[in-house]
Amino acid sequence: MTKAAPGEIDAIGLLCPLPVLKLQKALRALKPGQQVTLLATDPASRIDVPHFCAQSGHRVIETSQDNETLIYLVECGQPSKG
């Protein structure tokens, strides 16, 4: 089992919507411009993570894959108003 390093969110083995919910919680604790890495194995995260970021004002900086693990580097955007 993979253990997430500091600054990483371990969503390996979790299914939609849990990877995005874990990402959302982590981003709430960050300041704009700070980055976090999400590790996920849910194939739906390929659609869900970029969509969540676009809708929430965050940015996917990089997406890569290591075997079955999808790796997303996400930059925190401005907090949404309202």
Coordinates of all heavy atoms in Angstrom, one line a residue:
M1 N 0.8 -1.2 0.0 CA 0.0 0.0 0.0 C 0.9 1.2 0.0 O 1.8 1.3 0.7 CB -0.9 0.0 1.2 CG -1.8 1.2 1.3 SD -3.0 0.9 2.6 CE -4.2 2.1 2.2
T2 N 0.5 2.2 -0.8 CA 1.3 3.5 -0.9 C 0.9 4.4 0.2 O -0.2 4.5 0.6 CB 0.9 4.2 -2.2 OG1 1.2 3.3 -3.3 CG2 1.8 5.4 -2.4
K3 N 2.0 5.0 0.8 CA 1.7 6.0 1.8 C 2.0 7.4 1.2 O 3.0 7.6 0.6 CB 2.6 5.8 3.0 CG 2.4 6.8 4.1 CD 3.0 6.4 5.4 CE 2.9 7.5 6.4 NZ 2.3 7.1 7.6
A4 N 1.1 8.3 1.4 CA 1.2 9.6 0.8 C 2.3 10.4 1.6 O 2.4 10.3 2.8 CB -0.1 10.4 0.8
A5 N 3.1 11.1 0.8 CA 4.1 12.0 1.4 C 3.4 13.3 1.8 O 2.3 13.6 1.4 CB 5.2 12.3 0.3
P6 N 4.1 14.1 2.6 CA 3.5 15.4 3.0 C 3.2 16.2 1.7 O 4.0 16.2 0.8 CB 4.7 16.1 3.8 CG 5.5 15.0 4.3 CD 5.4 13.9 3.3
G7 N 2.0 16.8 1.7 CA 1.6 17.6 0.5 C 0.9 16.7 -0.5 O 0.6 17.2 -1.6
E8 N 0.7 15.4 -0.2 CA 0.0 14.5 -1.1 C -1.3 14.1 -0.4 O -1.4 13.9 0.8 CB 0.9 13.3 -1.4 CG 2.0 13.5 -2.3 CD 2.7 12.2 -2.7 OE1 2.6 11.2 -2.0 OE2 3.4 12.3 -3.7
I9 N -2.3 13.8 -1.2 CA -3.6 13.3 -0.8 C -3.6 11.9 -1.3 O -3.6 11.7 -2.5 CB -4.7 14.1 -1.3 CG1 -4.6 15.6 -0.9 CG2 -6.1 13.5 -0.9 CD1 -5.4 16.5 -1.8
D10 N -3.8 10.9 -0.4 CA -3.9 9.5 -0.8 C -5.3 9.1 -1.0 O -6.0 8.9 0.0 CB -3.2 8.6 0.2 CG -3.2 7.2 -0.2 OD1 -3.7 6.8 -1.3 OD2 -2.5 6.4 0.5
A11 N -5.8 9.1 -2.2 CA -7.1 8.6 -2.6 C -7.1 7.3 -3.3 O -8.0 7.0 -4.0 CB -7.9 9.7 -3.3
I12 N -6.0 6.6 -3.2 CA -5.9 5.3 -3.9 C -6.9 4.3 -3.3 O -7.1 4.1 -2.1 CB -4.4 4.8 -3.7 CG1 -3.4 5.7 -4.4 CG2 -4.3 3.3 -4.2 CD1 -2.0 5.4 -4.1
G13 N -7.6 3.7 -4.3 CA -8.6 2.7 -3.9 C -10.0 3.3 -3.6 O -11.0 2.6 -3.5
L14 N -10.1 4.6 -3.6 CA -11.4 5.3 -3.3 C -12.1 5.6 -4.6 O -11.5 5.9 -5.6 CB -11.2 6.6 -2.6 CG -10.5 6.5 -1.2 CD1 -10.3 7.9 -0.6 CD2 -11.3 5.6 -0.3
L15 N -13.4 5.5 -4.6 CA -14.2 5.7 -5.8 C -14.9 7.0 -5.7 O -15.1 7.6 -4.6 CB -15.2 4.6 -6.0 CG -14.6 3.2 -6.2 CD1 -15.7 2.1 -6.3 CD2 -13.7 3.2 -7.4
C16 N -15.3 7.5 -6.8 CA -16.1 8.8 -7.0 C -17.2 8.8 -6.0 O -17.9 7.8 -5.8 CB -16.6 8.9 -8.4 SG -17.6 10.3 -8.7
P17 N -17.4 9.9 -5.3 CA -16.8 11.2 -5.4 C -15.7 11.4 -4.4 O -15.2 12.5 -4.2 CB -17.9 12.1 -5.1 CG -18.7 11.4 -4.0 CD -18.6 9.9 -4.4
L18 N -15.2 10.4 -3.7 CA -14.3 10.6 -2.6 C -12.9 11.2 -2.9 O -12.4 12.1 -2.2 CB -14.0 9.2 -1.8 CG -15.3 8.7 -1.1 CD1 -15.0 7.4 -0.5 CD2 -15.7 9.7 -0.1
P19 N -12.3 10.9 -4.1 CA -11.0 11.6 -4.4 C -11.2 13.1 -4.5 O -10.4 13.9 -4.0 CB -10.6 10.9 -5.7 CG -11.2 9.6 -5.7 CD -12.5 9.7 -5.0
V20 N -12.3 13.5 -5.2 CA -12.6 15.0 -5.3 C -12.9 15.6 -4.0 O -12.5 16.7 -3.7 CB -13.7 15.2 -6.4 CG1 -14.2 16.6 -6.3 CG2 -13.2 14.9 -7.7
L21 N -13.6 14.9 -3.1 CA -14.0 15.4 -1.8 C -12.7 15.6 -0.9 O -12.6 16.6 -0.2 CB -15.0 14.5 -1.1 CG -16.4 14.5 -1.7 CD1 -17.3 13.5 -1.0 CD2 -17.0 15.9 -1.7
K22 N -11.8 14.6 -1.0 CA -10.5 14.8 -0.3 C -9.7 15.9 -0.8 O -9.1 16.7 -0.1 CB -9.7 13.5 -0.4 CG -10.4 12.3 0.5 CD -9.5 11.1 0.5 CE -8.5 11.3 1.7 NZ -8.0 10.1 2.3
L23 N -9.7 16.1 -2.2 CA -9.0 17.2 -2.8 C -9.6 18.5 -2.3 O -8.9 19.5 -2.0 CB -9.0 17.1 -4.3 CG -8.4 18.2 -5.1 CD1 -6.9 18.4 -4.8 CD2 -8.6 18.0 -6.6
Q24 N -10.9 18.6 -2.4 CA -11.6 19.8 -2.0 C -11.3 20.2 -0.5 O -11.0 21.4 -0.2 CB -13.1 19.6 -2.1 CG -13.9 20.8 -1.7 CD -15.4 20.6 -1.8 OE1 -15.9 19.5 -1.4 NE2 -16.2 21.5 -2.4
K25 N -11.3 19.3 0.4 CA -10.9 19.5 1.8 C -9.5 20.0 1.9 O -9.2 21.0 2.6 CB -11.1 18.3 2.6 CG -10.8 18.4 4.1 CD -11.1 17.2 4.9 CE -10.8 17.4 6.3 NZ -10.9 16.2 7.1
A26 N -8.6 19.4 1.2 CA -7.2 19.9 1.3 C -7.0 21.3 0.7 O -6.2 22.1 1.3 CB -6.3 18.9 0.5
L27 N -7.7 21.6 -0.4 CA -7.5 22.9 -1.0 C -8.1 24.0 -0.1 O -7.6 25.1 -0.1 CB -8.2 22.9 -2.4 CG -7.5 22.1 -3.5 CD1 -8.4 21.9 -4.7 CD2 -6.2 22.9 -3.9
R28 N -9.1 23.7 0.7 CA -9.7 24.7 1.6 C -8.6 25.2 2.6 O -8.7 26.3 3.1 CB -10.9 24.1 2.3 CG -12.1 24.0 1.5 CD -13.3 23.6 2.3 NE -14.5 23.5 1.5 CZ -15.4 22.5 1.6 NH1 -15.3 21.6 2.5 NH2 -16.4 22.5 0.8
A29 N -7.7 24.3 2.9 CA -6.6 24.6 3.9 C -5.4 25.4 3.3 O -4.5 25.8 4.0 CB -6.1 23.4 4.6
L30 N -5.4 25.5 2.0 CA -4.3 26.2 1.3 C -4.6 27.6 0.9 O -5.7 28.0 0.8 CB -4.0 25.4 0.0 CG -3.5 23.9 0.2 CD1 -3.2 23.3 -1.2 CD2 -2.3 23.8 1.1
K31 N -3.5 28.3 0.7 CA -3.6 29.7 0.2 C -3.5 29.7 -1.3 O -2.9 28.8 -1.9 CB -2.5 30.6 0.8 CG -2.6 30.7 2.3 CD -1.5 31.6 2.8 CE -1.6 31.7 4.3 NZ -0.5 32.3 4.9
P32 N -4.1 30.7 -2.0 CA -4.0 30.7 -3.5 C -2.5 30.6 -3.9 O -1.6 31.3 -3.3 CB -4.6 32.1 -3.9 CG -5.6 32.3 -2.8 CD -4.9 31.8 -1.5
G33 N -2.2 29.8 -4.9 CA -0.9 29.6 -5.4 C -0.2 28.4 -4.8 O 0.8 27.9 -5.4
Q34 N -0.6 27.9 -3.7 CA 0.0 26.7 -3.1 C -0.5 25.5 -3.9 O -1.6 25.5 -4.5 CB -0.4 26.6 -1.6 CG 0.3 27.6 -0.7 CD -0.1 27.4 0.7 OE1 -1.2 27.2 1.1 NE2 1.0 27.4 1.6
Q35 N 0.3 24.4 -3.8 CA 0.0 23.2 -4.6 C -0.1 22.0 -3.8 O 0.5 21.9 -2.7 CB 1.1 23.0 -5.7 CG 1.2 24.2 -6.7 CD 2.3 23.9 -7.7 OE1 3.1 23.1 -7.6 NE2 2.3 24.8 -8.7
V36 N -0.9 21.0 -4.3 CA -1.1 19.8 -3.6 C -1.1 18.7 -4.7 O -1.5 18.9 -5.8 CB -2.4 19.8 -2.7 CG1 -3.6 19.9 -3.6 CG2 -2.4 18.5 -1.8
T37 N -0.7 17.5 -4.3 CA -0.7 16.3 -5.2 C -1.7 15.4 -4.8 O -1.8 15.0 -3.6 CB 0.7 15.7 -5.3 OG1 1.7 16.6 -5.7 CG2 0.7 14.5 -6.2
L38 N -2.6 14.9 -5.7 CA -3.6 13.9 -5.5 C -3.2 12.6 -6.1 O -2.9 12.6 -7.3 CB -5.0 14.4 -6.0 CG -6.1 13.4 -6.0 CD1 -6.5 13.1 -4.6 CD2 -7.3 13.9 -6.8
L39 N -3.2 11.5 -5.4 CA -3.0 10.2 -5.9 C -4.3 9.5 -5.9 O -5.0 9.4 -4.9 CB -2.0 9.4 -5.0 CG -0.7 10.1 -4.6 CD1 0.1 9.3 -3.7 CD2 0.1 10.4 -5.9
A40 N -4.7 9.0 -7.1 CA -6.0 8.3 -7.2 C -5.9 7.1 -8.2 O -5.1 7.2 -9.1 CB -7.1 9.3 -7.7
T41 N -6.8 6.2 -8.0 CA -6.8 5.0 -8.9 C -8.2 4.9 -9.6 O -8.3 4.1 -10.5 CB -6.5 3.7 -8.2 OG1 -7.3 3.6 -7.0 CG2 -5.0 3.6 -7.8
D42 N -9.1 5.7 -9.2 CA -10.4 5.7 -9.9 C -10.4 6.3 -11.3 O -10.0 7.5 -11.4 CB -11.4 6.5 -9.0 CG -12.8 6.5 -9.6 OD1 -13.1 5.8 -10.5 OD2 -13.7 7.2 -9.0
P43 N -10.7 5.5 -12.3 CA -10.6 6.0 -13.7 C -11.5 7.3 -13.9 O -11.2 8.1 -14.7 CB -11.1 4.9 -14.5 CG -10.9 3.7 -13.7 CD -11.1 4.1 -12.3
A44 N -12.6 7.4 -13.1 CA -13.4 8.6 -13.3 C -12.8 9.9 -12.8 O -13.2 10.9 -13.2 CB -14.7 8.4 -12.5
S45 N -11.7 9.8 -12.1 CA -11.0 11.0 -11.6 C -10.4 11.7 -12.8 O -10.2 12.9 -12.7 CB -9.9 10.6 -10.6 OG -8.8 9.9 -11.2
R46 N -10.1 11.0 -13.9 CA -9.6 11.7 -15.2 C -10.6 12.8 -15.6 O -10.2 13.8 -16.2 CB -9.4 10.7 -16.3 CG -8.3 9.7 -16.1 CD -8.2 8.8 -17.3 NE -7.3 7.7 -17.1 CZ -6.0 7.8 -17.4 NH1 -5.5 8.8 -17.9 NH2 -5.2 6.7 -17.1
I47 N -11.9 12.6 -15.4 CA -12.9 13.6 -15.7 C -13.2 14.5 -14.5 O -13.3 15.7 -14.6 CB -14.2 12.9 -16.2 CG1 -13.9 12.1 -17.5 CG2 -15.3 13.9 -16.4 CD1 -15.0 11.1 -17.9
D48 N -13.4 13.8 -13.4 CA -13.9 14.5 -12.2 C -12.9 15.6 -11.7 O -13.3 16.7 -11.3 CB -14.1 13.5 -11.0 CG -15.3 12.6 -11.4 OD1 -16.1 12.9 -12.3 OD2 -15.4 11.5 -10.7
V49 N -11.6 15.3 -11.6 CA -10.7 16.3 -11.0 C -10.5 17.5 -11.9 O -10.7 18.6 -11.4 CB -9.3 15.6 -10.8 CG1 -8.2 16.6 -10.4 CG2 -9.4 14.5 -9.7
P50 N -10.3 17.4 -13.2 CA -10.3 18.6 -14.0 C -11.6 19.4 -14.0 O -11.6 20.7 -13.9 CB -9.9 18.1 -15.4 CG -9.3 16.8 -15.2 CD -9.9 16.2 -14.0
H51 N -12.7 18.7 -14.0 CA -14.0 19.4 -13.9 C -14.2 20.1 -12.6 O -14.6 21.3 -12.6 CB -15.1 18.4 -14.1 CG -16.5 19.0 -14.0 ND1 -17.0 19.8 -15.1 CD2 -17.4 19.0 -13.1 CE1 -18.2 20.2 -14.7 NE2 -18.5 19.7 -13.5
F52 N -13.9 19.5 -11.5 CA -14.0 20.1 -10.2 C -13.1 21.4 -10.1 O -13.5 22.4 -9.7 CB -13.6 19.2 -9.1 CG -13.2 19.9 -7.8 CD1 -14.2 20.4 -7.0 CD2 -11.9 20.0 -7.4 CE1 -13.9 21.1 -5.8 CE2 -11.6 20.7 -6.2 CZ -12.6 21.2 -5.4
C53 N -11.8 21.3 -10.6 CA -10.9 22.4 -10.6 C -11.4 23.5 -11.4 O -11.4 24.7 -11.0 CB -9.5 21.9 -11.0 SG -8.7 20.9 -9.8
A54 N -11.9 23.3 -12.6 CA -12.4 24.3 -13.5 C -13.6 25.0 -12.8 O -13.7 26.2 -12.9 CB -12.8 23.7 -14.8
Q55 N -14.5 24.3 -12.2 CA -15.7 24.8 -11.6 C -15.4 25.6 -10.3 O -16.1 26.5 -9.9 CB -16.7 23.7 -11.3 CG -17.3 23.1 -12.5 CD -18.1 24.1 -13.4 OE1 -18.9 24.8 -12.9 NE2 -17.7 24.1 -14.7
S56 N -14.3 25.3 -9.7 CA -13.9 25.8 -8.4 C -12.8 26.9 -8.4 O -12.5 27.4 -7.3 CB -13.5 24.7 -7.4 OG -14.5 23.7 -7.3
G57 N -12.3 27.1 -9.6 CA -11.3 28.2 -9.7 C -9.8 27.7 -9.4 O -8.9 28.5 -9.2
H58 N -9.7 26.4 -9.3 CA -8.3 25.8 -9.1 C -7.8 25.4 -10.5 O -8.5 25.4 -11.5 CB -8.4 24.6 -8.2 CG -9.1 25.0 -6.9 ND1 -8.6 25.9 -6.0 CD2 -10.3 24.5 -6.3 CE1 -9.4 26.0 -4.9 NE2 -10.4 25.1 -5.1
R59 N -6.5 25.0 -10.5 CA -5.9 24.6 -11.8 C -5.1 23.3 -11.7 O -4.3 23.2 -10.7 CB -4.9 25.8 -12.2 CG -4.4 25.7 -13.5 CD -3.7 27.0 -14.0 NE -2.6 27.3 -13.2 CZ -1.3 27.4 -13.7 NH1 -1.1 27.3 -15.0 NH2 -0.3 27.8 -12.9
V60 N -5.3 22.4 -12.6 CA -4.5 21.2 -12.7 C -3.3 21.6 -13.4 O -3.3 22.0 -14.6 CB -5.3 20.1 -13.4 CG1 -4.4 18.9 -13.6 CG2 -6.6 19.7 -12.7
I61 N -2.1 21.5 -12.8 CA -0.8 21.9 -13.3 C -0.3 20.8 -14.2 O 0.3 21.0 -15.2 CB 0.2 22.2 -12.2 CG1 -0.4 23.3 -11.3 CG2 1.5 22.6 -12.8 CD1 -0.5 24.7 -12.0
E62 N -0.4 19.5 -13.7 CA 0.2 18.4 -14.3 C -0.6 17.1 -14.0 O -1.1 17.0 -12.9 CB 1.6 18.2 -13.9 CG 2.4 17.1 -14.5 CD 3.8 17.0 -14.0 OE1 4.4 18.0 -13.5 OE2 4.4 15.9 -14.1
T63 N -0.7 16.3 -14.9 CA -1.3 15.0 -14.7 C -0.4 13.9 -15.3 O 0.2 14.0 -16.4 CB -2.7 14.8 -15.5 OG1 -3.5 15.9 -15.1 CG2 -3.3 13.5 -15.2
S64 N -0.1 12.9 -14.5 CA 0.7 11.8 -14.9 C 0.2 10.5 -14.3 O -0.8 10.5 -13.6 CB 2.2 12.0 -14.4 OG 2.3 12.1 -13.0
Q65 N 0.9 9.4 -14.7 CA 0.4 8.1 -14.2 C 1.6 7.2 -13.9 O 2.6 7.2 -14.6 CB -0.4 7.4 -15.3 CG -1.1 6.2 -14.9 CD -2.2 5.7 -15.8 OE1 -2.6 6.4 -16.8 NE2 -2.6 4.5 -15.6
D66 N 1.5 6.5 -12.8 CA 2.5 5.5 -12.4 C 1.8 4.2 -12.1 O 1.1 4.0 -11.1 CB 3.2 6.0 -11.1 CG 4.3 5.1 -10.6 OD1 4.7 4.2 -11.4 OD2 4.8 5.2 -9.5
N67 N 2.0 3.3 -13.1 CA 1.2 2.1 -13.1 C -0.3 2.4 -13.1 O -0.8 3.1 -14.0 CB 1.6 1.1 -12.0 CG 3.0 0.6 -12.2 OD1 3.4 0.3 -13.3 ND2 3.8 0.7 -11.1
E68 N -1.0 2.0 -12.1 CA -2.5 2.3 -12.0 C -2.8 3.6 -11.3 O -4.0 4.0 -11.2 CB -3.2 1.1 -11.4 CG -3.1 -0.2 -12.2 CD -3.9 -1.3 -11.6 OE1 -4.6 -1.1 -10.6 OE2 -3.7 -2.5 -12.1
T69 N -1.8 4.2 -10.7 CA -2.0 5.4 -9.9 C -2.0 6.7 -10.8 O -1.0 6.9 -11.5 CB -1.0 5.5 -8.8 OG1 -1.0 4.4 -8.0 CG2 -1.2 6.8 -7.9
L70 N -3.1 7.4 -10.8 CA -3.1 8.7 -11.5 C -2.6 9.8 -10.5 O -3.0 9.8 -9.3 CB -4.6 9.0 -11.9 CG -5.1 7.9 -12.9 CD1 -6.6 8.0 -12.9 CD2 -4.5 8.1 -14.2
I71 N -1.8 10.7 -11.0 CA -1.2 11.7 -10.2 C -1.5 13.1 -10.7 O -1.3 13.4 -11.9 CB 0.4 11.5 -10.1 CG1 0.7 10.1 -9.7 CG2 1.0 12.5 -9.2 CD1 2.1 9.6 -10.0
Y72 N -2.2 13.9 -9.8 CA -2.6 15.2 -10.2 C -1.9 16.2 -9.4 O -2.0 16.2 -8.1 CB -4.1 15.4 -10.0 CG -4.9 14.4 -10.8 CD1 -5.3 13.2 -10.2 CD2 -5.3 14.6 -12.1 CE1 -6.1 12.3 -10.9 CE2 -6.1 13.7 -12.8 CZ -6.5 12.5 -12.2 OH -7.2 11.6 -12.8
L73 N -1.2 17.2 -10.0 CA -0.6 18.3 -9.3 C -1.6 19.5 -9.5 O -1.9 19.9 -10.6 CB 0.7 18.7 -9.8 CG 1.4 19.9 -9.2 CD1 1.6 19.7 -7.7 CD2 2.7 20.2 -9.9
V74 N -2.2 20.0 -8.4 CA -3.2 21.0 -8.4 C -2.8 22.2 -7.7 O -2.2 22.1 -6.6 CB -4.5 20.4 -7.8 CG1 -5.6 21.5 -7.8 CG2 -5.0 19.2 -8.5
E75 N -3.0 23.4 -8.3 CA -2.7 24.7 -7.7 C -4.0 25.3 -7.2 O -5.0 25.3 -7.9 CB -2.1 25.6 -8.7 CG -1.7 26.9 -8.1 CD -1.0 27.8 -9.1 OE1 0.2 27.6 -9.3 OE2 -1.7 28.6 -9.8
C76 N -4.0 25.7 -5.9 CA -5.1 26.3 -5.3 C -5.4 27.7 -5.9 O -4.5 28.5 -6.1 CB -4.9 26.5 -3.8 SG -6.2 27.2 -2.9
G77 N -6.6 28.0 -6.3 CA -7.0 29.2 -6.9 C -7.6 30.1 -5.8 O -7.5 29.9 -4.6
Q78 N -8.2 31.2 -6.2 CA -8.9 32.2 -5.3 C -10.1 31.5 -4.7 O -10.8 30.7 -5.4 CB -9.3 33.4 -6.1 CG -8.1 34.2 -6.6 CD -7.3 34.8 -5.5 OE1 -7.8 35.2 -4.4 NE2 -6.0 34.9 -5.7
P79 N -10.4 31.7 -3.5 CA -11.6 31.2 -2.9 C -12.9 31.7 -3.7 O -12.9 32.8 -4.1 CB -11.7 31.7 -1.5 CG -10.5 32.6 -1.3 CD -9.7 32.6 -2.6
S80 N -13.8 30.8 -3.9 CA -15.1 31.2 -4.6 C -15.9 32.1 -3.7 O -15.9 32.0 -2.5 CB -15.9 30.0 -5.0 OG -16.2 29.2 -3.9
K81 N -16.6 33.0 -4.3 CA -17.4 34.0 -3.6 C -18.9 33.5 -3.6 O -19.3 33.0 -4.6 CB -17.3 35.3 -4.3 CG -16.0 35.9 -4.2 CD -15.9 37.2 -4.9 CE -14.4 37.8 -4.8 NZ -14.2 38.9 -5.6
G82 N -19.5 33.6 -2.5 CA -20.9 33.2 -2.4 C -21.2 31.9 -1.8 O -21.0 30.9 -1.7

